[in-house]
Amino acid sequence: QVQLVESGGGSVQAGGSLRLSCSASAHTYSSSCMGWFRQAPGKEREGVGSIGSDGTTRYADSVKDRFTISKDRATNTLYLQMNSLKPEDTATYYCAAVFLPSVSWCPTVVGLFPYWGQGTQVTVSS
């Protein structure tokens, strides 16, 4: 069974930073495409970025150059470093995983991911 557990959300002022964590099993961490998604109230869930099992990353245009996805092999943890936060980044953030045959192709398509964490709230005030 794939379990994903997010942590690290909170409240921050605009321009601040937060780092979200997502812990996973060793197999999930090393073999899956993993993504970060977010959902603001009244809006659809959207992709923030993803990382393939080979470490290839991709980001939504809205967060490019502000957010960074990384992995820590020692702890099987996925991170989302968020800098220069804006009020429009306010949302519940989710990590997700999917096992794909490609090690680098890892698109942030919500419907592609069967495994999800419980979500962590990020609130950015102006």
Side-chain angles (χ1 to χ4, degrees), residues 38 61-68 81-86 88-89:
R38 65 187 182 186
D61 288 342
S62 59
V63 305
K64 205 170 291 184
D65 299 325
R66 298 189 299 122
F67 291 10
T68 303
Q81 177 66 44
M82 304 184 293
N83 298 328
S84 302
L85 282 161
K86 304 175 181 180
E88 51 263 44
D89 294 319

Side-chain angles (χ1 to χ4, degrees), residues 18-86:
L18 282 174
R19 189 178 75 163
L20 306 184
S21 303
C22 174
S23 64
S25 68
H27 174 66
T28 300
Y29 171 90
S30 62
S31 306
S32 68
C33 154
M34 299 187 75
W36 284 101
F37 297 80
R38 65 187 182 186
Q39 187 166 18
K43 294 189 176 181
E44 292 188 353
R45 193 169 297 188
E46 64 176 3
V48 173
S50 65
I51 185 166
S53 56
D54 68 344
T56 300
T57 54
R58 61 183 68 198
Y59 300 93
D61 288 342
S62 59
V63 305
K64 205 170 291 184
D65 299 325
R66 298 189 299 122
F67 291 10
T68 303
I69 295 173
S70 61
K71 298 166 77 172
D72 182 343
R73 181 174 299 186
T75 60
N76 299 325
T77 302
L78 176 74
Y79 294 105
L80 178 65
Q81 177 66 44
M82 304 184 293
N83 298 328
S84 302
L85 282 161
K86 304 175 181 180

Side-chain angles (χ1 to χ4, degrees), residues 3-9 19-24 34-38 45 77-78 80 92-97 115-121:
Q3 284 192 312
L4 303 170
V5 181
E6 301 106 335
S7 60
R19 189 178 75 163
L20 306 184
S21 303
C22 174
S23 64
M34 299 187 75
W36 284 101
F37 297 80
R38 65 187 182 186
R45 193 169 297 188
T77 302
L78 176 74
L80 178 65
T92 301
Y93 284 71
Y94 300 88
C95 70
Y115 306 109
W116 293 83
Q118 81 285 358
T120 186
Q121 178 67 36

